[in-house]
Amino acid sequence: MDDELGPGPALQRIDERVADMEEGQGRHEAKLSGLREGLRDVKADVAKLSDEVSNTRMEIAGLESAVTDTRQTLDKFIEQYGRDREASKAQAELARLTTEWHANFAQRKQTRALARGLVHTLTAQAVYRNVVNKATVRACSEERLLLEPTYWLAPATVAVAAKFRDEEEQGERARAHACALDAAKAHLFFSLTCFRLGDETEAAAWMDLYLQSLDPDELGQDFLVVLDAIASRELGEEALGYTRQAITRWSRGDAPLSVETPASSGLGRSTMLESRLRNLRGRLTERRYATLRKTCGDQWGALSKGWELSTVPDRAIAQLEYAFPDGFDGADTPSGSGRHVQSALERLIEQLDPDEADMRERMRRLERVIEHGGDLVAADSADESSVALDAAPVALMTLLDQAVFEPDEVRLGQPARRMALRAIWPDLEEAAQRLVAVSRSHLPRYITLSVAGWGCSVPTAPQSRVQSGQIVNELATRIEQQTQVRSDAVVRRWPRVISALVIGAFTLALVVPFVDGAARWFFTLLTVGLFSGAAWEFTNVPFRRRRVRDQGDALRHEAVTTMEKALSQCEHFLEDWHDAMERLDLLTRWGEGHQRN
């Protein structure tokens, strides 16, 4: 009975537990459903929040774009405001300078026009033929002086007008007034004007004064134009003579030089020409005379310098013949056109004084600033590219040097360049002689050639001929003797033979019989090697001597070939050197007949 009633309560308890579990599971499922609904709500909120974040990001991006655009607009406004301010300042300054220009310099335009008219040959003819009243000429010129008392050209026009009226006293006072304001320009103006009016003697006298008033270390572009006119004989022979004397005096250093110029503070006159000639010398490449370079050792440095300096006369002759194809004393046909005088007068009359040029330059820059809307960088760039300034003043020796050797660097005609050549020729000839003397000092009495440890001395005198065959035979004989000595020194090395035999016998007698296995094989091979080495040492003497003789023959062949090539190159090297130094006589004869006045 107990067995029958026992499972019922157990099953009931199990059913109750299952029911409890089902009830708990139901409760959990309800909770899970609530959680799922909560998660769905959270997902919806997250999606909504993500949309709001995206919208916020888009709004922020739009705000950043708006801020960037605003910043760019503000920067452009500030930049444009700055440009407008610079343009306004430039306009105001330009207006002020224009007013100042008209107040101070406007009258000079009429003064220049009057001067241009007075120096014209037709004006002189009109005055002398009474086509123009002399009183009118006097009134116009004196009015210019009253309006421009500080401008040198105004009293200069009064002096020209006085010359038309033959009023010497008034003309003298006017000329003195003009010279006091600007001596160099006034002297040049009176010289050119006198030539225009047909008085070459007075023109030459004024030209002499003009040359005396110049600083030979500060020669401007006016001097170049005048030099062309004088060299072309447009101002007559007397003015040409004065100019030659002045250039000769300057080139000799008789005139005071400024201390700020390179010619006086650095290289001297002769040193400058010597440097020019050094730059003309020929150059030795690495491949030229390569064997001689290797065999003469440390001597090559001095030899190459001396050889290069010896080429100076020949290179100078080639340069001079190219620049002056008609020779040193080529005919310079006189120019009757007077175009250089006309150009010099026009340039002199139109040339601005320093204060006037400074104000004109400032006005030009302000105009550029206004033209570019206040952009200072663009205005400066345009100003640098559009304004063609005159070349800087040059020293006389620099001018003469460039006129002879670099004609493209200076705007001078052939007659003026030939005058420059005559002026520097004595110094040029002396510089060439010094360089040739230095070249000769680098030429030793003997050149030592060393090949395969054997050296020989080669005389450098042109009358001493080198016996190349004898030198080569001596070298070959010496190498053969050295080879024979080394071959005779090859003998059997008995200590090695005896040592190998003794050690081999000891090993064979006392070691090999008492060891087994690999040790026996090792010592057996060692014994065989020792006996073989002793046999080879006893029998290889002829082979070793043959190898020494073969090496000696190869060395002798190479040494003989090198020595022959070195001697041939040395001969040509010395011939070129002596021939180049003899070209100094040709250079002297090229300028023969010229003497320093």
Side-chain angles (χ1 to χ4, degrees):
M1 291 295 290
D2 293 338
D3 294 335
E4 294 178 355
L5 295 174
L11 290 174
Q12 185 176 1
R13 288 194 298 272
I14 291 173
D15 289 338
E16 291 176 354
R17 289 180 180 177
V18 169
D20 293 339
M21 292 176 64
E22 290 178 350
E23 183 179 358
Q25 183 177 1
R27 290 196 300 272
H28 287 304
E29 288 180 351
K31 291 180 180 180
L32 288 174
S33 298
L35 288 175
R36 288 191 185 97
E37 292 179 357
L39 288 175
R40 283 195 295 271
D41 294 339
V42 170
K43 288 181 179 179
D45 293 340
V46 170
K48 184 177 181 181
L49 182 61
S50 177
D51 293 338
E52 292 179 355
V53 170
S54 298
N55 294 332
T56 303
R57 288 178 177 175
M58 293 176 62
E59 292 177 357
I60 291 174
L63 181 60
E64 290 178 348
S65 177
V67 170
T68 302
D69 295 339
T70 303
R71 182 183 294 114
Q72 292 178 352
T73 303
L74 181 60
D75 292 340
K76 291 181 180 178
F77 173 78
I78 294 174
E79 182 179 358
Q80 186 61 42
Y81 174 75
R83 291 183 177 180
D84 293 341
R85 184 178 61 180
E86 293 295 336
S88 299
K89 289 169 58 179
Q91 289 175 348
E93 182 66 14
L94 181 60
R96 186 187 69 81
L97 290 180
T98 302
T99 302
E100 186 177 348
W101 171 272
H102 284 290
N104 297 332
F105 306 116
Q107 297 296 332
R108 295 188 179 182
K109 183 177 181 180
Q110 288 76 17
T111 305
R112 293 188 178 99
L114 176 62
R116 195 180 301 109
L118 286 177
V119 299
H120 203 283
T121 55
L122 294 179
T123 301
Q125 295 176 9
V127 172
Y128 292 143
R129 294 175 182 176
N130 293 324
V131 176
V132 177
N133 193 340
K134 294 181 180 181
T136 303
V137 175
R138 177 176 182 175
C140 291
S141 62
E142 291 180 353
E143 180 185 6
R144 292 293 97 204
L145 179 57
L146 291 175
L147 294 175
E148 291 284 350
T150 61
Y151 184 39
W152 70 270
L153 192 56
T157 58
V158 173
V160 176
K163 189 174 184 64
F164 287 152
R165 301 190 309 271
D166 295 329
E167 297 177 354
E168 186 60 32
E169 185 177 353
Q170 184 183 15
E172 187 65 29
R173 290 195 296 268
R175 286 191 289 269
H177 187 185
C179 293
L181 295 175
D182 195 322
K185 292 180 180 178
H187 292 157
L188 179 58
F189 177 79
F190 293 138
S191 176
L192 299 175
T193 302
C194 290
F195 173 77
R196 273 291 187 86
L197 299 178
D199 192 347
E200 292 190 4
T201 301
E202 188 173 356
W206 282 109
M207 180 57 64
D208 187 29
L209 293 175
Y210 165 69
L211 295 172
Q212 293 179 20
S213 64
L214 293 179
D215 182 357
D217 282 343
E218 293 288 339
L219 299 176
Q221 297 301 306
D222 290 336
F223 178 76
L224 301 185
V225 181
V226 173
L227 189 62
D228 266 330
I230 294 173
S232 300
R233 290 178 170 81
E234 292 186 5
L235 294 176
E237 293 293 335
E238 194 172 353
L240 177 62
Y242 283 136
T243 306
R244 286 176 175 172
Q245 292 176 8
I247 292 179
T248 302
R249 184 175 64 253
W250 292 341
S251 63
R252 293 169 61 180
D254 295 341
L257 302 175
S258 62
V259 295
E260 299 178 355
T261 55
S264 58
S265 60
L267 296 176
R269 290 165 172 77
S270 58
T271 308
M272 181 184 297
L273 291 175
E274 186 172 322
S275 176
R276 166 69 67 180
L277 293 179
R278 283 180 181 271
N279 293 333
L280 292 177
R281 72 184 187 272
R283 303 287 184 174
L284 280 174
T285 61
E286 292 290 334
R287 298 177 59 184
R288 191 172 185 183
Y289 302 118
T291 306
L292 177 62
R293 182 194 303 266
K294 294 177 182 178
T295 55
C296 68
D298 296 337
Q299 281 187 303
W300 178 252
L303 292 175
S304 61
K305 291 180 181 178
W307 186 94
E308 290 179 353
L309 289 177
S310 70
T311 63
V312 165
D314 188 57
R315 295 300 183 95
I317 290 174
Q319 177 73 19
L320 294 173
E321 288 180 345
Y322 173 78
F324 303 95
D326 296 336
F328 186 92
D329 293 321
D332 295 328
T333 57
S335 174
S337 62
R339 60 184 181 89
H340 294 299
V341 173
Q342 176 66 25
S343 176
L345 263 175
E346 286 292 335
R347 181 183 180 86
L348 183 61
I349 292 173
E350 293 298 328
Q351 189 175 17
L352 304 180
D353 278 5
D355 55 348
E356 188 179 3
D358 179 66
M359 184 173 292
R360 177 71 65 85
E361 188 62 29
R362 290 160 58 192
M363 293 173 64
R364 184 184 290 111
R365 186 182 184 282
L366 293 174
E367 290 172 355
R368 297 286 181 188
V369 172
I370 297 172
E371 180 182 350
H372 288 82
D375 191 343
L376 300 180
V377 176
D380 291 338
S381 301
D383 193 55
E384 291 176 359
S385 62
S386 62
V387 178
L389 299 177
D390 284 341
V394 297
L396 174 70
M397 287 306 299
T398 302
L399 174 63
L400 298 180
D401 175 77
Q402 291 178 346
V404 174
F405 295 103
E406 297 178 3
D408 295 335
E409 296 294 327
V410 290
R411 293 172 292 183
L412 286 176
Q414 188 74 1
R417 292 177 51 238
R418 200 181 302 279
M419 180 185 293
L421 174 63
R422 294 191 180 101
I424 68 171
W425 178 256
D427 292 330
L428 180 65
E429 189 176 3
E430 291 176 6
Q433 291 173 352
R434 284 196 301 272
L435 291 178
V436 171
V438 174
S439 172
R440 187 173 286 107
S441 68
H442 282 84
L443 181 62
R445 295 182 60 186
Y446 295 94
I447 297 178
T448 301
L449 303 181
S450 179
V451 177
W454 182 79
C456 65
S457 297
V458 179
T460 59
Q463 63 273 12
S464 301
R465 293 190 58 85
V466 179
Q467 301 297 330
S468 58
Q470 180 180 354
I471 294 176
V472 170
N473 292 334
E474 290 180 4
L475 174 62
T477 302
R478 180 177 178 82
I479 295 178
E480 289 177 356
Q481 292 174 352
Q482 292 177 348
T483 302
Q484 186 63 40
V485 170
R486 288 197 297 269
S487 177
D488 295 340
V490 177
V491 295
R492 294 181 180 87
R493 290 166 286 192
W494 290 108
R496 291 189 180 185
V497 175
I498 295 173
S499 299
L501 292 176
V502 169
I503 296 173
F506 176 80
T507 304
L508 181 63
L510 300 178
V511 178
V512 174
F514 301 100
V515 294
D516 295 325
R520 168 172 280 187
W521 283 105
F522 172 76
F523 284 107
T524 301
L525 292 176
L526 178 61
T527 303
V528 172
L530 289 172
F531 284 124
S532 300
W536 172 253
E537 184 65 29
F538 188 80
T539 60
N540 74 341
V541 172
F543 299 100
R544 289 165 53 199
R545 288 181 176 178
R546 173 61 62 87
R547 185 170 64 251
V548 170
R549 286 194 295 269
D550 291 341
Q551 292 175 351
D553 292 341
L555 176 62
R556 177 174 54 81
H557 177 71
E558 181 182 358
V560 166
T561 303
T562 302
M563 180 59 76
E564 289 177 346
K565 194 171 183 179
L567 290 172
S568 176
Q569 290 185 1
C570 183
E571 183 178 359
H572 289 93
F573 180 78
L574 294 175
E575 287 179 358
D576 292 343
W577 195 335
H578 290 294
D579 292 342
M581 289 192 295
E582 290 176 359
R583 299 282 290 178
L584 179 63
D585 295 335
L586 296 179
L587 178 64
T588 303
R589 287 198 297 270
W590 190 82
E592 190 174 6
H594 176 73
Q595 296 179 352
R596 189 196 294 266
N597 294 328

